């Protein structure tokens, strides 16, 4: 194994300087891990809808300039002091939740996903659209061996957030999934594994996404502006489109839940109270907990979840984001970096 002296000191990265602009290809110094931090040589980094919200300036707290990317898979190249449970050379996954305070009411009650001072990979901490990334070891995960780096990347946000959204739907048997992208293609497999029935709602006329949903075991796939063939017990909304909330409620049985899984959504239009009546609920999912990550990464190989990835090179990050934006990606877009 090469010694630390063989470590490059400069790395290639794709960086956002200001919202609304394209990412710039640049060279940056390879960061040095501090106490508790891992320096990860990035093998692959997934592209997520949230990256588009950062690039578009729809999330107000972004550190600028910022290296996006929060589905990082790579190998530990160097470790700061005090990293427990990891060794140099281990493969790790770095998720969206990058740091929490440990002291606020949320952190103290096992809800660090809601931490008041949380920091996020690829948003307020430089992420994985680069050859190296720093990560706080307490939020990193070991990854199941049967996935290669590209296949594992989408598990780290699409998979995790999808899993948390499904958990918040409770025991719902008939699950509607709105927006059939990276998260949906994973959560559909988990839902089927748990014996649930999946109904997929895509952009109107998106025959390719509907066929893909069928391949993944959806009982029905159709346009999101059409009624469901039968009432849903829960709906998971992954598309950032507020008008889907009343549409999903209208398809949901009494006592059912509509879970909004994205970090940003266009305004929800007003709707008659009758749609909510009957003990229906609307709720959101925010971020992930470390426990979610461990649970989901243990479950994924048992399902087994198979991820469909569309690989891009690091310097094609702008193309990958453009493809995500227009819904042209079947499955998950992933930057293959190493
Ligand atoms: Zn906190
Ligand atoms: Zn994400």
């Amino acid at each position: 194994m090469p010694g630390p002296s063989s470590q490059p000191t400069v790395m290639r990265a794709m960086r956002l300087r200001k919202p609304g602009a394209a990412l710039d290809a640049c060279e940056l110094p390879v960061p040095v891990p501090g106490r508790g931090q891992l320096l990860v040589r990035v093998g692959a980094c997934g592209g997520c809808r949230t990256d588009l919200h950062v690039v578009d300036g729809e999330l107000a707290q972004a550190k600028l300039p910022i290296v996006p990317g929060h589905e990082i898979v790579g190998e530990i190249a160097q470790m700061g002091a005090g990293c427990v449970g990891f060794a140099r050379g281990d493969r790790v996954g770095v998720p969206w939740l990058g740091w929490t305070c440990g002291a606020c009411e949320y952190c103290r009650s096992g809800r660090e996903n809601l931490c008041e001072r949380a920091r996020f990979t690829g948003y307020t901490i430089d992420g994985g659209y680069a050859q190296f990334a720093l990560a706080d070891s307490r939020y990193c995960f070991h990854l199941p061996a049967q996935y290669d780096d590209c296949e594992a990347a989408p598990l780290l946000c699409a998979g995790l957030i999808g899993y948390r959204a499904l958990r918040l739907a409770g025991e719902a048997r008939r699950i509607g999934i709105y927006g059939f992208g990276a998260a949906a293609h994973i959560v559909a497999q988990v839902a089927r594994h748990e014996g649930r029935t999946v109904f997929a709602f895509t952009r109107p006329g998106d025959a390719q996404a509907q066929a893909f949903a069928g391949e993944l075991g959806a009982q029905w796939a159709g346009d999101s502006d059409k009624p469901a063939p039968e009432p849903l017990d829960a709906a998971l909304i992954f598309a950032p489109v507020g008008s889907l909330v009343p549409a999903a409620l209208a398809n949901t049985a009494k006592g059912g839940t509509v879970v909004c899984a994205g970090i940003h959504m266009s305004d929800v239009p007003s709707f008659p109270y009758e749609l909510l009546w009957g003990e229906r609920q609307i709720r959101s999912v925010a971020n992930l907990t470390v426990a979610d990550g461990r649970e989901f990464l243990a479950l994924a190989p048992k399902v087994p979840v198979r991820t469909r990835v569309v690989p891009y090179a690091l310097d094609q990050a702008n193309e990958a984001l453009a493809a995500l934006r227009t819904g042209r990606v079947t499955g998950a877009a992933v930057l293959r970096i190493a």
Side-chain angles (χ1 to χ4, degrees):
M1 190 177 281
S5 56
S6 71
Q7 201 77 250
T9 54
V10 173
M11 66 178 187
R12 289 188 295 118
M14 295 296 284
R15 192 166 64 157
L16 179 73
R17 289 183 170 280
K18 65 173 202 298
L23 306 182
D24 289 333
C26 61
E27 288 203 331
L28 296 174
V30 173
V32 177
R35 190 173 175 78
Q37 287 184 320
L38 307 176
L39 176 68
V40 177
R41 184 192 312 273
V42 181
C45 183
C48 173
R49 178 81 228 179
T50 298
D51 301 338
L52 287 179
H53 297 311
V54 171
V55 167
D56 291 347
E58 287 164 334
L59 301 177
Q61 312 294 321
K63 169 183 100 64
L64 289 172
I66 182 79
V67 177
H70 57 270
E71 296 181 307
I72 305 172
V73 178
E75 185 189 287
I76 300 175
Q78 223 180 305
M79 300 198 328
C83 295
V84 178
F86 295 98
R88 196 156 151 256
D90 282 0
R91 188 169 77 142
V92 288
V94 183
W96 167 248
L97 187 72
W99 183 88
T100 58
C101 78
C104 74
E105 191 187 324
Y106 299 109
C107 283
R108 283 186 287 116
S109 55
R111 295 179 294 162
E112 73 272 19
N113 60 310
L114 303 178
C115 174
E116 300 281 12
R117 295 169 57 208
R119 294 182 206 151
F120 301 102
T121 312
Y123 176 37
T124 57
I125 302 170
D126 279 330
Y129 287 17
Q131 291 179 298
F132 289 88
L134 276 187
D136 186 316
S137 58
R138 294 170 298 170
Y139 303 90
C140 294
F141 301 112
H142 290 286
L143 296 171
Q146 51 270 71
Y147 298 94
D148 70 24
D149 290 357
C150 283
E151 291 164 345
L155 300 176
L156 286 159
C157 180
L160 270 169
I161 298 292
Y163 175 72
R164 187 170 174 86
L166 184 64
R167 283 288 156 273
L168 294 184
E171 297 300 305
R173 190 172 56 79
R174 296 165 297 183
I175 304 273
I177 300 180
Y178 285 77
F180 212 84
H185 101 284
I186 295 174
V187 78
Q189 298 175 58
V190 176
R192 290 285 302 117
H193 173 74
E194 295 176 339
R196 310 183 198 232
T197 307
V198 171
F199 300 82
F201 297 80
T202 72
R203 295 181 205 222
D206 190 346
Q208 198 175 336
Q210 291 171 12
F212 185 44
E215 282 171 41
L216 293 173
Q219 172 169 308
W220 174 92
D223 298 350
S224 61
D225 57 355
K226 301 274 163 51
E230 57 184 284
L232 307 170
D233 301 308
L236 315 181
I237 303 181
F238 294 109
V241 180
S243 60
L244 292 175
V245 172
L249 270 178
N251 279 331
T252 302
K254 284 188 277 191
T257 305
V258 173
V259 183
C260 302
I263 193 168
H264 177 83
M265 195 180 235
S266 55
D267 286 356
V268 178
S270 77
F271 55 86
Y273 177 60
E274 192 192 341
L275 290 183
L276 186 61
W277 171 248
E279 301 195 343
R280 293 175 181 87
Q281 305 183 55
I282 305 173
R283 65 172 307 166
S284 64
V285 163
N287 315 316
L288 66 134
T289 64
V290 175
D292 291 332
R294 294 197 179 130
E295 236 176 84
F296 174 68
L297 291 168
L299 174 66
K302 290 183 191 145
V303 170
V305 168
R306 292 183 209 285
T307 53
R308 165 104 59 111
V309 306
V310 181
Y312 291 84
L314 174 59
D315 59 9
Q316 293 177 310
N318 288 306
E319 285 92 316
L321 291 175
L324 271 181
R325 184 184 297 286
T326 53
R328 273 183 283 127
V329 179
T330 300
V334 174
L335 303 185
R336 183 187 279 153
I337 296 172

